[in-house]
Amino acid sequence: MEELDRRIVQLLSRDGRLSFTDLGKASGLSTSAVHQRVRRLEERGIITGYRAVLNHDAAGIPLAALISVIPVDPAAPDDIPDRLRHITALDSCFSVAGDENYVLKVRVASPLELEELLAQIRSAANVTTRTTVVLSTPWEDRSPLAGDEAPAEDG
């Protein structure tokens, strides 16, 4: 990736709502040149979308947890992500090396909701689970392309 494209990606990683004019000022390009570069970055699949960053406490889902899952039957088809895709409390699903097959990042309102979610995951995917509750999040969703600054805590 060219240095100018990398700079544009860094700026958008920090603030996806920057206007093309502001991106141009920060990168030394014209507004139209920035617009063309952003469009090409999207077409190449480097930029795949834009999203709002939530304050999870204010949104009513302050409890984060990481749930490792292992199939009860190791010979069963590896379709765990498909079996769990409908569960909206699941934020991310990572295929991992090691003892577990997947690690799920979840957000819920309370320990009781986490307990209910664990039962739902076990039932839907026929897995055993091991759960780590997140105590605090100094930062998350930091992209290696975003530069040296870690984003502010988003709850």
Side-chain angles (χ1 to χ4, degrees):
M1 183 173 6
E2 292 180 31
E3 191 56 39
L4 281 173
D5 289 341
R6 184 177 300 277
R7 179 71 180 139
I8 291 168
V9 169
Q10 287 173 343
L11 292 164
L12 287 173
S13 292
R14 291 184 191 138
D15 183 356
R17 295 183 64 161
L18 281 174
S19 68
F20 292 127
T21 301
D22 290 337
L23 283 169
K25 288 177 185 173
S27 64
L29 296 171
S30 70
T31 301
S32 62
V34 167
H35 184 262
Q36 289 175 349
R37 283 183 177 265
V38 169
R39 191 182 79 248
R40 281 196 305 262
L41 289 165
E42 292 169 344
E43 288 169 355
R44 291 171 48 201
I46 293 170
I47 296 175
T48 59
Y50 303 86
R51 64 183 180 92
V53 177
L54 302 179
N55 176 325
H56 296 102
D57 292 338
I61 48 173
L63 182 61
L66 304 173
I67 303 170
S68 300
V69 299
I70 302 170
V72 171
D73 177 6
D78 186 6
D79 60 354
I80 292 171
D82 294 331
R83 288 175 177 234
L84 299 176
R85 191 172 310 278
H86 69 282
I87 302 174
T88 58
L90 303 182
D91 181 78
S92 303
C93 177
F94 305 101
S95 175
V96 297
D99 294 334
E100 295 87 8
N101 293 47
Y102 295 92
V103 174
L104 310 171
K105 180 178 152 193
V106 305
R107 292 265 181 193
V108 292
S110 67
L112 178 60
E113 272 193 31
L114 179 59
E115 187 175 15
E116 292 167 351
L117 177 62
L118 289 168
Q120 186 180 9
I121 290 168
R122 291 178 190 130
S123 173
N126 195 28
V127 294
T128 61
T129 61
R130 185 178 52 116
T131 304
T132 303
V133 172
V134 175
L135 299 177
S136 70
T137 306
W139 47 264
E140 69 180 337
D141 295 332
R142 188 170 86 172
S143 168
L145 295 178
D148 296 331
E149 279 181 42
E153 181 178 336
D154 68 0

